[in-house]
Amino acid sequence: MYLKEFIQKENTTPDTVRHYIYLNLLNPGRKGRNYWFTENETDIFEAVKEFQDLGFSLQEIKDIKKLHDESCSTEKQRKQNLKLITDKIAVISAKINKLKMQKKVLAEVEETLQKKSIIETRKK
């Protein structure tokens, strides 16, 4: 399929697709001067989006794809993927802890403001 069909199918933009091509995440063929996308590019594009939804950066996804292309189904790939996932879990856990702390502080401020509001209402 041509670029226009691909972006419609994947609900994306030409700039996004061109950026992925620039990063070598996608490698469509050519028909004349136009890009030609197969199901392989569709699968890769959807995998990239899934990894992004899990919090991976494009650089991390590029590294995962490179390892996959070079060492598919090897122990090296398994170990590297395990490390990436373990590291991502640690980052997410740190973010969760930070959000919990922010929530706690905001709840304390909210409680203080509610108490002041009650006191101000009683004074009237």
Side-chain angles (χ1 to χ4, degrees):
M1 74 190 89
Y2 289 106
L3 177 62
K4 184 176 181 179
E5 298 165 296
F6 185 82
I7 61 173
Q8 288 174 342
K9 179 180 180 185
E10 296 302 329
N11 193 28
T12 190
T13 66
D15 288 340
T16 297
V17 174
R18 287 187 185 102
H19 186 63
Y20 288 6
I21 292 170
Y22 174 78
L23 294 174
N24 290 318
L25 288 169
L26 292 175
N27 295 301
R30 291 282 198 162
K31 277 199 172 183
R33 296 181 58 199
N34 299 307
Y35 288 117
W36 182 254
F37 297 86
T38 64
E39 284 303 310
N40 185 51
E41 283 80 35
T42 298
D43 293 344
I44 292 168
F45 183 86
E46 290 171 1
V48 168
K49 289 302 184 187
E50 288 175 17
F51 277 111
Q52 284 183 308
D53 289 345
L54 292 171
F56 288 92
S57 69
L58 287 177
Q59 184 58 54
E60 290 169 324
I61 296 167
K62 187 176 174 180
D63 294 343
I64 291 167
K65 183 180 181 301
K66 181 180 177 194
L67 187 63
H68 171 77
D69 292 346
E70 294 173 355
S71 308
C72 186
S73 300
T74 64
E75 184 64 13
K76 177 182 177 184
Q77 182 191 22
R78 186 192 70 76
K79 285 181 178 178
Q80 184 63 27
N81 287 345
L82 180 61
K83 182 182 180 329
L84 283 167
I85 290 169
T86 302
D87 292 349
K88 187 58 65 179
I89 289 170
V91 168
I92 291 169
S93 294
K95 287 179 182 179
I96 289 170
N97 288 336
K98 183 176 180 180
L99 287 169
K100 284 180 179 178
M101 182 58 70
Q102 289 172 331
K103 181 180 177 183
K104 180 182 174 188
V105 170
L106 287 170
E108 290 169 358
V109 170
E110 178 185 40
E111 184 180 339
T112 300
L113 290 171
Q114 287 175 345
K115 286 179 182 177
K116 285 185 178 182
S117 176
I118 292 170
I119 292 170
E120 293 297 321
T121 303
R122 289 182 183 168
K123 287 183 178 179
K124 292 181 180 180

